Every structure is written in structure tokens, then in C-alpha cells.
Amino acid sequence: MAAVPHVLLCGYERGGTTLLSDIFRANGYASGFECGVLLAASPQDFRTLKPYWDMLPGGWSISEQVRADAASKDFSGFYDTVCRAAFPDHQGPFFDKTPKYMERLGVVRARAPFIDKAVVIHRDPRAVFVSMAKRLSPKLDPKAAVERNFNELTSRYLSYFLGAIAHLGSPDTLFVPFEEMVGREDAWMKVLGLFAAGRQFTRRQKRSRFENVTSDGMDLAKVIEFDRVLSSGLQTRILNATRLAAPFICDPVARVRLGDQWDDMSGRADRILRRFDLPRTGAVVDGQLFEPFAYLLRYPDVLNAGVNPVVHFQRHGRQERRRAA
């Protein structure tokens, strides 16, 4: 039996994926820090994918020779080679945690049919803005860092949202609100465990080896850090800029108040898909994976026209270099 991951963990960068991976490790799963191979069209193409190719030996404690051997195989063979070398004595299941998989969830899943489940952990946009701004501009205070990188942060947040949201409600994909998991840890240990393994998970018993997970428990202060460092005006600006991603806002009142764009666009997209008998995800157009729901949300002109998204992609979208998935 091949040593391949059966669960994929992804989410916003600095948004809880390392905490999530520690929970899985505490419950019998194994993995290196990040892999990223599924972002490449093949393991052979992985050699050119930076920084993941360069990170692999250190993140998985394998030699460069093992990495080279793995890259000569298909995806199943790649994981089997890497997982056996990194964890020769491990008898349990494996997972692959890579935050950026969230941005290409449909494509990633199609490349690895042996992965049974995906867990997407998401956070309020204000929290992600603060966390990512600190990385992008570490010498500035958080408010100034957010201001400087506002457009980039907005684009990245919405890109990750659109890359995964079509899978909301899919039986093999679990969306985990970071804020809820922190506030209701025991309940989410049950949800995560039953979803991934058919049994309740237990809490972590020791502190993470990764510096961005700061304790062995859930840190409630982290959830509302943005409220301390951002002005109310800047918070409002962030929420308005990411309004389409209202389902990810942690405050239920704000989620309802700002949910009009999501309700309108997702509702119209679903009606179009029903009219043309199309699935939300997993369509194949001329041999290429196509995500109809995400295409309509990503391109409002197509949504507003009310046309068949598959036909639009075939006639116009491909030539215009619009994303299929």
C-alpha cells in the first residue's frame, strides 16, 4: 500500500494551518512542514516551483537524492518516496498541509485522486490582513503595514476565497472557521476527527515545534488581535474590500450586514448552473478541469450576462487567458 496522504490541509497563510496540522499530528497523522507539489502540473515540473522545491529537504528531513527520485515519478509515487524516507517507522495515515492549495483547491484535488478529504481553515479578513502585513512589512506597525500593502492583501484574500468557495458544502471538504475552533475546541475536535478519521480527535498534549503556534492550547487573544491594532475605519475598509467573502467574517452581525454581495452573486451563479445543468465543481472542458461556479464569481461580466460559463470559456475565456479553475 502506497504511503500517500489521505487528507489535505489548506487555508490562508498565517491563518491557522500550522495549528491544524499539529492537531492532526497529535492524532496519529504524519507530514512534513509543507510540500506544495500539487501546485505543479507534475512532479517533474515541481523542480521549477519555488520556494517549495527548495524547502522540501529541510521541511521533510529528506536528502536531495530522495527529492530527485521522488520528482521522477507520478504524484502517488512522489508522496510514497518522500513519506517513506521522512517517516520510515510511521504506520498511521499521512496528510499534506500547504496553505496555497486553498487558492487552487479543485485543481489540486484533481491531481491527487488518492486524497479522500480536504480541510480548509479560514479566518476573518481583518485578522489575515494584520498577520500577512506583518510578514510583508515587518518594520512597520501593523496599521501602517496594512495600509501599505492593502491592495495586495485584498487581491490575495479574495483569490484564496474564490479558489475554494465552490467546494463549500461538498461532503469531502470541511470548512473550519478559525475563530470557532479556538472558542469551541472540544466541539471542533469531534467535528475534525469524525470528518477525517471516523473518530473523535483528542487535544494536543504538547507545545508545537513551530514558532507561529505559541502554546499548547487555543489562544483567544489571537482571534481579536485585529480589533486592538486596527482603527474602526480601517476595519470597515477591509470588510468592504473583501465583501464578497462575507461567509468568512467572524462577527455574525457584520456577516449578515455585509452578506448582500455574496448572497446576490452566489444565488445568481447557482441559478445559471441549474439552467444549464452544470456542477459547481469538477467539470471537464476539452480535457481541462473547469470550475463553473468559481468562473462565474471570478468574472462578473459573465455572471451578469447570464450565459453558459462553459460555452463562454470555450469561445472567449480561453483566448482571453481567463482562469478555468
Side-chain angles (χ1 to χ4, degrees):
M1 184 175 177
V4 298
H6 294 286
V7 180
L8 180 152
L9 309 181
C10 60
Y12 286 105
E13 295 169 5
R14 302 179 69 86
T17 55
T18 301
L19 172 61
L20 194 64
S21 65
D22 273 350
I23 292 170
F24 272 78
R25 286 191 183 92
N27 285 276
Y29 287 75
S31 181
F33 178 61
E34 288 185 15
C35 182
V37 66
L38 296 175
L39 296 170
S42 71
Q44 292 75 42
D45 294 329
F46 186 43
R47 299 172 186 271
T48 64
L49 189 62
K50 309 291 184 177
Y52 297 100
W53 174 258
D54 295 333
M55 289 165 45
L56 194 68
W60 286 70
S61 299
I62 59 173
S63 68
E64 292 187 7
Q65 183 59 54
V66 169
R67 179 181 63 174
D69 290 344
S72 68
K73 303 175 181 179
D74 61 13
F75 283 116
S76 178
F78 174 94
Y79 280 115
D80 187 60
T81 301
V82 170
C83 288
R84 290 187 189 278
F87 304 97
D89 300 321
H90 183 69
Q91 300 298 314
F94 293 92
F95 69 88
D96 179 358
K97 166 260 190 178
T98 302
K100 198 171 177 61
Y101 287 164
M102 180 182 177
E103 192 178 29
R104 304 292 304 279
L105 187 58
V107 173
V108 165
R109 293 297 305 275
R111 288 170 177 167
F114 46 84
I115 293 180
D116 303 316
K117 307 285 178 77
V119 180
V120 181
I121 188 166
H122 56 85
R123 292 190 72 176
D124 187 287
R126 294 165 291 184
V128 175
F129 272 48
V130 169
S131 186
M132 283 303 303
K134 289 179 180 179
R135 174 185 288 182
L136 294 172
S137 301
K139 295 183 179 180
L140 297 179
D141 71 79
K143 181 177 182 296
V146 168
E147 293 278 12
R148 171 174 288 188
N149 299 285
F150 192 90
N151 291 338
E152 180 180 350
L153 293 168
T154 300
S155 176
R156 182 179 299 186
Y157 193 90
L158 290 175
S159 182
Y160 275 54
F161 172 81
L162 290 169
I165 198 61
H167 298 262
L168 183 67
S170 297
D172 60 357
T173 305
L174 178 66
F175 281 72
V176 179
F178 175 82
E179 297 83 4
E180 281 195 20
M181 189 173 73
V182 171
R184 301 172 60 231
E185 182 178 3
D186 287 337
W188 276 99
M189 291 305 99
K190 182 176 181 179
V191 171
L192 283 167
L194 291 176
F195 173 78
R199 58 178 173 81
Q200 184 166 340
F201 277 176
T202 60
R203 292 184 180 216
R204 297 173 299 144
Q205 298 300 313
K206 59 183 180 179
R207 181 169 177 163
S208 173
R209 62 192 175 97
F210 300 107
E211 62 181 16
N212 55 331
V213 178
T214 57
S215 70
D216 58 357
M218 301 293 192
D219 188 352
L220 294 173
K222 291 273 186 184
V223 174
I224 57 172
E225 179 189 21
F226 66 81
D227 204 35
R228 177 175 56 82
V229 302
L230 299 179
S231 66
S232 60
L234 185 52
Q235 289 187 44
T236 298
R237 187 178 164 205
I238 292 170
L239 291 175
N240 283 330
T242 59
R243 195 182 194 106
L244 180 59
F248 289 176
I249 298 174
C250 66
D251 177 4
V253 175
R255 188 163 61 240
V256 171
R257 179 171 56 84
L258 296 168
D260 53 344
Q261 185 181 13
W262 163 252
D263 290 342
D264 172 60
M265 293 182 69
S266 63
R268 285 192 289 140
D270 280 330
R271 288 193 291 274
I272 290 171
L273 297 184
R274 288 195 296 270
R275 185 190 315 154
F276 295 107
D277 194 24
L278 294 171
R280 271 193 166 202
T281 66
V284 177
V285 177
D286 302 329
Q288 180 178 7
L289 180 71
F290 183 77
E291 301 273 274
F293 185 78
Y295 191 81
L296 290 169
L297 293 187
R298 191 172 282 119
Y299 302 114
D301 59 324
V302 182
L303 177 66
N304 292 337
V307 298
N308 187 321
V310 170
V311 174
H312 183 277
F313 178 72
Q314 290 175 315
R315 294 180 178 175
H316 309 288
R318 185 183 290 112
Q319 292 80 3
E320 295 168 357
R321 297 185 179 276
R322 302 200 192 205
R323 274 183 56 177

